Amino acid sequence: MKVTLVQGDLTEQQADAIVNAANSSLLGGGGVDGAIHRRGGPEILEACRKLRAGHYGGGLPTGRAVATTAGLLPARWVIHTVGPVYSGSQDRSELLASCHHESLRVADSLGARTVAFPAISTGVYGWPLDDAARIAVAAVRAAETSVEEVRFVLFDAAAYDAFLTRLSA
């Protein structure tokens, strides 16, 4: 599997699937989640409402992933995953790694060959960038998947540099 980095906007990526750093409600929010819902249009929200009306009535658990249409985005699917909130007193790194493993598992079930990830949990959830990059890169490299390309799409230079350092290690 090829792992690449791009500094830019996740919602502009042409990929089979883009990963949404969602909140457990699946009904949109801020950051990456809000941008995906705004740019993708109402089809994504409608698909998420159907998930909430069915199997995910209580919300999507942290570390799990589920797919919907990508609506108006230049991708086929959005894979929603709920990252953990960072804690200095509790090790939640397995949950962050699970977001990547589960997203790739869902991508495999869809037949996706290219998947674009954001820096999950590094925004409002407060995960330190260097540590999130370490966990994300290790999780993707360890995954058994048919995905041919994982692309980390980083919003700014600091995130890009953190992921580049880990990818080069």
Side-chain angles (χ1 to χ4, degrees):
M1 168 187 27
K2 180 175 156 186
V3 181
T4 60
L5 303 178
V6 173
Q7 184 177 334
D9 184 341
L10 183 67
T11 65
E12 296 176 355
Q13 295 301 303
Q14 296 209 357
D16 291 330
I18 63 169
V19 176
N20 180 15
N23 63 53
S24 64
S25 78
L26 296 174
L27 301 179
V32 169
D33 192 20
I36 286 172
H37 277 271
R38 280 190 303 278
R39 291 223 177 137
E43 296 88 355
I44 297 173
L45 181 57
E46 182 58 33
C48 287
R49 284 187 175 137
K50 287 179 183 173
L51 289 169
R52 286 297 307 268
H55 187 68
Y56 297 103
L60 184 65
T62 302
R64 299 281 306 277
V66 66
T68 65
T69 179
L72 301 172
L73 297 170
R76 293 181 65 192
W77 302 284
V78 173
I79 299 173
H80 306 267
T81 190
V82 180
V85 174
Y86 179 75
S87 170
S89 62
Q90 190 177 36
D91 183 7
R92 298 179 179 163
S93 56
E94 282 302 314
L95 286 170
L96 185 54
S98 180
C99 290
H100 297 84
H101 291 295
E102 286 291 303
S103 293
L104 291 172
R105 180 189 60 75
V106 170
D108 281 338
S109 75
L110 297 168
R113 295 292 174 245
T114 55
V115 179
F117 279 92
I120 297 168
S121 287
T122 62
V124 70
Y125 286 6
W127 207 287
L129 254 176
D130 291 336
D131 195 45
R134 176 186 63 79
I135 293 165
V137 169
V140 164
R141 283 182 169 159
E144 293 184 24
T145 180
S146 297
V147 170
E148 295 169 2
E149 180 191 359
V150 167
R151 186 180 316 145
F152 287 105
V153 182
L154 297 315
F155 186 71
D156 60 22
Y160 184 91
D161 290 345
F163 275 75
L164 181 61
T165 297
R166 291 301 175 173
L167 196 57
S168 301

